[in-house]
Amino acid sequence: MGAGPEEAAVTKRYHPAILVSCEIPWDDDERLIEDVFRQEIRAALEQFDDLYIFGTAGEGYAVTVPVFREIVAIFREETDREGVHPMVGCIGLSTAQVVERVGIACDAGFRVFQISLPPWGALNDAELVTYFTDVCGSFPDARFVHYNLLRPKRLLHAADYRRLQDAVGNLVGTKSTGLGIGETLELARDTELMHFYGEANFPLGCRHGECGLLASYGAIFPAQTKELFELGRQGRFGELARLHAEYLAVADVFWEPAKAFGDLIDGAWDKMIVRASGIDMPLRLLSPYQSFPLEVYEACVAGLRARHPEWLE
């Protein structure tokens, strides 16, 4: 059994955790189904303490300001309890739009935010620093996690984060699932930020530094997700490797019927996971994005039940 990360520890600015997204249920008229949303949040809180709304899977790119305000208020009501660490995603085309949404969520009582870069044009190095100092500097008592993905046309690397962490004291973490092996290792070793990796690269990241787990499958596989996280935290890397291989293989079985349907946006996949957990989550996404047909979802669940029923217990 290992004793923990193989590299010397770097003090991180945020706590390690399992980070779970809450998706938004819409009716046929693209209105929030409030009771289903509250049910989803409450079910997630039975298993996890770190929840967030409005990433890509949570359709944070698509909601209007009034809908954003409505959902933030409900999320605050449900997560305003001791030991819970809620986070609100704020996506916009400009600094001003992101600051506006952070301000709304701040007024509701939130202090931890997930922000992405503005996607209309790739930021150069000077613009990158300006964006983070302007957004994060507008809320000095808040903390920010950067949602690091290629949709804004620039993926950040360890050198970028070393520069940003020196300039922005309340930038505390990243959500980084799309980096290669070398980049994952460099992030884990060489920055003060808490990096939330996906299931695929979490085992690699936790070998080289303290990190968090972005749990795509937390709703459907809560026990296995928590075990995966704890094995990494405890440095039990042999056991982690075995569970990780099984975890990805089971997930692959679940998605098998969906693969031929096409490459849909994140929320289409994540809403199937939430629905499979027992929440009456509609598969619908806000216009113009396409969701999976109900028969594809049913085939996914049937395949998982037939081949790995123990994972649904």
Side-chain angles (χ1 to χ4, degrees):
M1 181 176 74
E6 296 175 352
E7 304 290 334
V10 175
T11 301
K12 300 295 185 178
R13 296 182 178 182
Y14 197 71
H15 64 277
I18 302 171
L19 191 58
V20 175
S21 170
C22 292
E23 277 50 86
I24 314 300
W26 309 111
D27 67 15
D28 291 341
D29 295 315
E30 298 192 345
R31 295 173 302 193
L32 171 70
I33 307 175
E34 182 176 333
D35 60 334
V36 174
F37 184 48
R38 289 184 184 273
Q39 181 188 6
E40 178 193 9
I41 298 168
R42 292 169 188 173
L45 287 174
E46 290 178 3
Q47 301 289 343
F48 305 103
D49 298 325
D50 291 71
L51 311 184
Y52 74 97
I53 52 172
F54 291 144
T56 303
E59 299 174 272
Y61 57 86
V63 294
T64 64
V65 169
V67 172
F68 178 88
R69 193 185 302 272
E70 176 190 13
I71 291 171
V72 161
I74 295 169
F75 191 57
R76 178 62 178 172
E77 289 176 9
E78 294 293 341
T79 59
D80 187 15
R81 60 179 76 177
E82 187 176 354
V84 174
H85 307 282
M87 182 186 300
V88 175
C90 298
I91 299 173
L93 286 174
S94 68
T95 296
Q97 290 175 348
V98 174
V99 167
E100 178 185 28
R101 295 197 174 200
V102 174
I104 291 169
C106 258
D107 289 344
F110 292 99
R111 290 297 179 269
V112 184
F113 302 96
Q114 184 182 128
I115 59 173
S116 58
L117 301 182
W120 195 258
L123 302 187
N124 63 35
D125 286 352
E127 293 166 342
L128 184 67
V129 174
T130 297
Y131 175 73
F132 278 98
T133 55
D134 285 353
V135 173
C136 302
S138 297
F139 305 92
D141 64 338
R143 293 178 290 174
F144 292 85
V145 170
H146 174 229
Y147 180 12
N148 189 25
L149 75 171
L150 199 54
R151 294 186 191 279
K153 305 179 179 66
R154 178 168 180 175
L155 198 66
L156 300 192
H157 304 280
D160 300 309
Y161 286 124
R162 285 194 295 268
R163 187 169 69 255
L164 287 170
Q165 72 185 14
D166 292 340
V168 186
N170 57 345
L171 177 65
V172 300
T174 77
K175 193 174 79 173
S176 296
T177 61
L179 299 178
I181 294 175
E183 295 161 325
T184 298
L185 297 184
E186 193 175 357
L187 277 185
R189 288 195 308 253
D190 299 341
T191 69
E192 299 171 5
L193 308 179
M194 177 57 62
H195 302 289
F196 290 91
Y197 301 115
E199 287 92 350
N201 57 350
F202 171 76
L204 177 63
C206 67
R207 279 182 173 271
H208 296 273
E210 196 172 37
C211 62
L213 171 62
L214 174 63
S216 299
Y217 301 95
I220 190 174
F221 304 143
Q224 296 90 341
T225 297
K226 287 187 282 190
E227 184 181 3
L228 191 78
F229 180 68
E230 287 304 322
L231 289 174
R233 291 268 291 151
Q234 295 169 20
R236 295 159 61 183
F237 298 125
E239 295 169 81
L240 175 63
R242 288 188 289 273
L243 176 59
H244 183 244
E246 183 181 6
Y247 196 110
L248 296 185
V250 173
D252 194 58
V253 168
F254 180 68
W255 294 126
E256 199 169 281
K259 291 177 182 177
F261 193 80
D263 186 18
L264 304 187
I265 201 167
D266 302 25
W269 304 82
D270 286 69
K271 286 190 173 184
M272 291 218 288
I273 293 171
V274 174
R275 189 176 180 91
S277 74
I279 304 298
D280 191 20
M281 173 66 67
L283 302 179
R284 184 179 304 104
L285 299 177
L286 293 179
S287 174
Y289 292 99
Q290 183 180 9
S291 58
F292 285 103
L294 186 59
E295 57 266 25
V296 172
Y297 160 78
E298 290 171 344
C300 289
V301 173
L304 185 59
R305 284 178 178 156
R307 295 169 62 180
H308 296 285
E310 72 281 3
W311 277 66
L312 292 173
E313 295 176 354

